[in-house]
Amino acid sequence: MLSYVPNLYPDEILYSWFARYHDHSGNVSSKQTMKELFGNMSSVAVVDFPNNLEAFYKNIAHFNPPYINDLITNHTMYSYYTAFQSEEMKSRAINYIKTGGKPGAIHMFLGIAASTIKNWHYLRFCPNCVQQDREQYGEAYWHMSHQLPKVFYCHLHQELLHDSTIEFRNPHKHEFISAEKAELSMPHLITVFSPKLEQQLKMLSDESINLIRNVENVRIHDFTRIYKYLMQISGYANHFGQVQQQYFAEQFKKYYGEEFLSLVNCNFDEYSDTSWQRNIVRKHRKAFHPVQHLLLLQFLKVSFKDLGNFEGKCYEPFGQAPYYCLNPAANHYKKRVISKVAITTCTDTRKPVGTFSCNCGFVYSRRGPDRDKEDTFKVGRIKSFGPAWQAKLMELATSGLSPHQIAQLLKCDYATVKKYLSISKEESSNINESPVDLLMQKEAEWIELIKAYPNFTVTQLRATSPALYAWHYHNNCNWLKENSPRASIKVTVNERVDWEKRDLEILKLVKKAIQKLYAIEKPVYVNKSRVAKEIGQLSLLEKKLDKLPRTKAYLNKHLETREQFQIRRIKWACRKLYTEDENNLLAWKVRRLAGLKKKVSNVVEVALENEIRLYQQGEMQNEIKTMDF
């Protein structure tokens, strides 16, 4: 049981608290401090996830400290890294922090170890915070918010954070080093960012603080559904939830830019189907780093603190039922009386099309989604006017109004009014006529029409007598098909395209595209579809390549197979790892960086082994030096 423990400061990380205890206690040995704090000398001084806290808490219980769960959520990085994790993972992490476990296990099961986004190499500080802490508390301390990954700016002073001399992963694993024992001097060179990049980094820093401050209030059970909804209302996914991945990738990269994405370790290949940016809006089958979540939310114009507002929401392109009836002839005109909408997809634009059917018989449709209130009163196409509308039409017609006036009152075309008035007149004139006599009369009229215009097609006959054609179509359709002229099949030869000239033009574009693709530093798969997309001729190369013999021959010679691409990625990965650190050249690291699957062909396996062996034997050193020069 401890006889003294210093006060815990706001936003102080527990590592800093333990380090200040070491300074105040006067202990010379770090292991002595470990013994006093945790009851053993084998505990490790970890910045982000200290463990065995239950033993420590028992030693300080008589000081009435905050609850142990409060210490974990407010003074470790537990809240930051578990904000987007399942309840099971959160429970597993908090148990690890309380009772301990295998060293580094928490970084493995939370996905931190495998992430491309790494912690800072050194503990970080804000010079203004250091001065302010010394004035208020008499000493500086390590702030938790300053240690969050990719937080470049202090949220209090909006100033750049600086590296201390204390490593985040201290090689002396039992040693706590306080901020006062570190060298907190200003660096000689200050990083200068462009205004746009500075704004983006500050927004990421602010959102990281929003996350740790609001994580207890934001309880999300299914991030996949929320992201699907946000993508839909932002226009990056259709009403079925299918994401327009290529468009989304292009806009995402355009929004942030290569420089920012590289700075926060989140850059990606916009043509890769397995990039983190595409996977995060699919069903989550693995963990994503909080930075990646925050970038997606920022792109979709949503703050983490507001995320709970979207829990359980479903995308409705035409709003919530009931919907408006837009029949001007009904007494419920512009009132919400339609209970549901049938949604289909526009074949041209792939946008949702809603069909609204009212009990009055009025059926209309429009293409969505609705963007504002005015859209809910728009009619794209009227599919059926219904009996109420037709009755109102006849009532207005008998009142002496002109067709133009009627059209204005019923909000339709003059031609529509004339059409339905003529149909009503025809039906009334035939109301006492025998159905059999009427059928024979109509058939005779159609036969006479064909005789009068023997060379006309069905379409031309229909244009000559639309009312007669419409009657047969609705009442005598089978007879109409049997007694209509057959369309002659015309074989046309398209001689408008000069394929030889087109071949030379496309060949020139293909050569430039292939040269450009092979010149990209991080290798991309140079196949037919990638080249076609590069020159904007995907359909042509997929469907008409046989008409471009020179282009086809050049593609066959210069495109690469999947194995050749994998080998090229291996060479690039080996060169990159060897340049960064010679000791990094391990097979598993090469596999991961090259994006190889677990099972690859024997040819690729042999190429991997040979390439690593060449570096290990020193045969590639001259090549690397030459490239560096």
Side-chain angles (χ1 to χ4, degrees):
M1 187 169 65
L2 296 176
S3 58
Y4 164 79
V5 65
N7 291 327
L8 183 61
Y9 298 137
D11 191 36
E12 183 174 21
I13 201 160
L14 288 187
Y15 174 93
S16 174
W17 196 25
F18 300 151
R20 289 193 300 107
Y21 171 81
H22 176 74
D23 291 351
H24 295 183
S25 66
N27 289 336
V28 177
S29 170
S30 298
K31 290 196 173 183
Q32 177 62 30
T33 298
M34 285 291 181
K35 177 74 173 175
E36 293 174 3
L37 291 176
F38 302 102
N40 65 72
M41 292 186 290
S42 61
S43 293
V44 179
V46 182
V47 175
D48 47 3
F49 295 108
N51 56 43
N52 202 21
L53 279 194
E54 279 190 345
F56 165 74
Y57 196 77
K58 288 178 182 178
N59 286 337
I60 64 167
H62 53 288
F63 291 109
N64 294 321
Y67 292 116
I68 187 170
N69 280 11
D70 292 336
L71 291 178
I72 293 172
T73 55
N74 298 323
H75 298 278
T76 74
M77 292 193 182
Y78 163 83
S79 295
Y80 178 80
Y81 278 109
T82 60
F84 298 93
Q85 298 278 4
S86 66
E87 293 300 323
E88 179 185 354
M89 281 297 181
K90 290 179 181 179
S91 177
R92 188 176 174 186
I94 210 164
N95 286 336
Y96 177 93
I97 296 172
K98 285 181 178 180
T99 61
K102 187 177 179 181
I106 192 169
H107 298 90
M108 295 295 290
F109 66 71
L110 288 181
I112 302 171
S115 177
T116 57
I117 303 172
K118 303 302 180 184
N119 285 318
W120 298 108
H121 190 69
Y122 297 98
L123 290 178
R124 316 255 292 164
F125 69 95
C126 166
N128 287 329
C129 285
V130 169
Q131 181 181 353
Q132 187 174 303
D133 293 341
R134 284 172 177 166
E135 292 173 356
Q136 186 171 358
Y137 303 111
E139 59 184 337
Y141 61 91
W142 299 121
H143 287 249
M144 185 185 71
S145 59
H146 296 166
Q147 318 311 322
L148 297 178
K150 306 312 167 191
V151 169
F152 282 78
Y153 286 86
C154 172
H155 68 283
L156 294 176
H157 302 101
Q158 295 297 303
E159 295 290 336
L160 269 173
L161 298 174
H162 302 298
D163 287 339
S164 69
T165 55
I166 309 304
E167 293 184 54
F168 195 93
R169 303 288 179 209
N170 193 343
H172 306 290
K173 61 181 183 178
H174 302 294
E175 183 180 14
F176 293 110
I177 304 176
S178 68
E180 289 295 342
K181 294 292 183 181
E183 189 178 327
L184 303 182
S185 58
M186 293 282 286
H188 297 294
L189 296 175
I190 304 295
T191 304
V192 178
F193 298 121
S194 67
K196 178 184 177 182
L197 190 57
E198 180 181 345
Q199 182 185 13
Q200 289 175 323
L201 291 172
K202 284 183 177 180
M203 288 183 68
L204 178 57
S205 299
D206 291 342
E207 275 304 298
S208 298
I209 302 305
N210 271 336
L211 187 153
I212 59 175
R213 286 180 175 176
N214 296 282
V215 67
E216 289 299 308
N217 300 324
V218 179
R219 294 287 183 176
I220 306 298
H221 299 97
D222 191 350
F223 284 99
T224 305
R225 288 191 63 184
I226 290 181
Y227 289 167
K228 174 182 172 181
Y229 173 75
L230 292 175
M231 292 288 284
Q232 287 175 313
I233 63 174
S234 300
Y236 296 106
N238 63 17
H239 54 289
F240 295 120
Q242 296 168 337
V243 178
Q244 303 172 48
Q245 288 286 11
Q246 190 56 44
Y247 175 66
F248 171 50
E250 291 169 358
Q251 294 302 309
F252 193 92
K253 180 157 284 192
K254 183 178 179 181
Y255 178 82
Y256 285 112
E258 294 269 359
E259 185 180 7
F260 172 78
L261 291 173
S262 298
L263 196 60
V264 297
N265 302 142
C266 289
N267 208 354
F268 59 92
D269 181 357
E270 60 189 280
Y271 297 103
S272 172
D273 193 50
T274 58
S275 64
W276 74 263
Q277 170 265 350
R278 295 195 186 207
N279 286 332
I280 200 171
V281 294
R282 293 172 175 150
K283 184 176 181 181
H284 289 187
R285 294 179 174 86
K286 63 178 182 179
F288 294 91
H289 197 280
V291 169
Q292 294 170 334
H293 284 278
L294 293 178
L295 291 188
L296 175 64
L297 291 174
Q298 189 175 323
F299 174 73
L300 297 174
K301 304 293 188 294
V302 176
S303 174
F304 178 84
K305 66 179 183 294
D306 300 323
L307 204 55
N309 299 335
F310 302 99
E311 180 79 50
K313 285 198 173 183
C314 293
Y315 179 62
E316 294 170 327
F318 300 97
Q320 294 183 338
Y323 305 99
Y324 293 105
C325 175
L326 301 181
N327 181 5
N331 54 12
H332 52 256
Y333 177 51
K334 287 190 176 181
K335 292 184 179 179
R336 291 184 176 272
V337 294
I338 300 177
S339 58
K340 59 183 180 180
V341 57
I343 300 177
T344 54
T345 303
C346 176
T347 55
D348 294 330
T349 63
R350 308 307 300 167
K351 290 184 177 181
V353 175
T355 300
F356 305 84
S357 304
C358 184
N359 292 332
C360 67
F362 191 79
V363 181
Y364 69 96
S365 66
R366 70 167 170 272
R367 189 163 58 194
D370 290 349
R371 298 297 183 188
D372 50 47
K373 189 175 181 180
E374 292 182 1
D375 288 343
T376 61
F377 296 104
K378 291 181 179 178
V379 175
R381 178 186 173 195
I382 298 175
K383 295 188 174 183
S384 176
F385 287 95
W389 186 91
Q390 294 185 26
K392 187 69 174 179
L393 171 69
M394 297 309 299
E395 178 186 332
L396 294 173
T398 55
S399 67
L401 294 176
S402 69
H404 282 289
Q405 292 172 317
I406 296 173
Q408 290 177 349
L409 291 173
L410 295 183
K411 301 187 183 303
C412 62
D413 294 334
Y414 167 81
T416 302
V417 172
K418 293 290 288 183
K419 172 185 172 183
Y420 279 90
L421 285 176
S422 64
I423 291 175
S424 299
K425 187 181 294 185
E426 185 176 346
E427 289 176 349
S428 61
S429 64
N430 295 324
I431 193 167
N432 296 321
E433 191 172 354
S434 167
V436 176
D437 294 339
L438 178 62
L439 177 64
M440 292 177 65
Q441 178 189 337
K442 294 293 184 183
E443 288 179 354
E445 289 178 9
W446 182 255
I447 295 298
E448 287 298 323
L449 187 64
I450 293 174
K451 289 179 180 179
Y453 303 99
N455 297 322
F456 273 26
T457 63
V458 176
T459 305
Q460 292 171 319
L461 292 173
R462 176 183 179 180
T464 304
S465 182
L468 180 61
Y469 178 88
W471 190 94
H472 279 292
Y473 185 82
H474 291 290
N475 302 287
N476 199 16
C477 190
N478 292 333
W479 183 91
L480 177 66
K481 291 179 180 179
E482 293 174 0
N483 293 274
S484 295
R486 304 290 179 184
S488 58
I489 301 174
K490 296 182 180 180
V491 179
T492 58
V493 179
N494 183 4
E495 297 179 348
R496 291 176 296 170
V497 178
D498 185 345
W499 287 107
E500 185 173 355
K501 181 181 177 183
R502 178 71 62 87
D503 191 9
L504 294 173
E505 293 172 350
I506 297 299
L507 177 60
K508 186 176 180 181
L509 294 174
V510 165
K511 286 182 177 179
K512 288 183 179 179
I514 289 179
Q515 185 179 7
K516 177 183 176 183
L517 292 173
Y518 276 120
I520 296 174
E521 181 184 356
K522 183 179 180 180
V524 296
Y525 187 19
V526 185
N527 59 2
K528 185 173 72 174
S529 61
R530 184 62 183 269
V531 173
K533 289 177 182 177
E534 187 70 25
I535 66 173
Q537 295 289 348
L538 182 61
S539 177
L540 179 67
L541 292 190
E542 282 186 346
K543 298 177 181 179
K544 304 291 185 182
L545 188 57
D546 289 334
K547 294 188 176 184
L548 308 170
R550 292 185 179 86
T551 304
K552 184 176 181 181
Y554 188 84
L555 287 172
N556 290 338
K557 184 177 179 180
H558 291 88
L559 295 181
E560 60 184 347
T561 64
R562 177 65 67 175
E563 286 182 344
Q564 290 171 333
F565 168 62
Q566 289 172 336
I567 292 171
R568 202 156 59 87
R569 286 289 286 246
I570 288 171
K571 291 179 180 292
W572 165 81
C574 287
R575 185 166 61 250
K576 183 175 177 62
L577 291 170
Y578 186 84
T579 304
E580 292 173 353
D581 186 352
E582 296 179 12
N583 298 322
N584 269 346
L585 200 59
L586 302 174
W588 69 270
K589 288 189 176 183
V590 176
R591 283 179 176 276
R592 185 176 67 177
L593 187 58
L596 297 183
K597 295 181 179 179
K598 291 182 179 180
K599 292 183 180 180
V600 293
S601 68
N602 292 332
V603 175
V604 177
E605 289 287 358
V606 171
L608 174 63
E609 294 173 4
N610 290 340
E611 193 71 13
I612 293 175
R613 186 173 66 253
L614 288 173
Y615 278 94
Q616 292 173 343
Q617 292 174 354
E619 296 180 22
M620 301 298 289
Q621 291 182 12
N622 292 333
E623 181 183 341
I624 294 294
K625 290 178 181 178
T626 304
M627 290 179 65
D628 289 342
F629 175 77

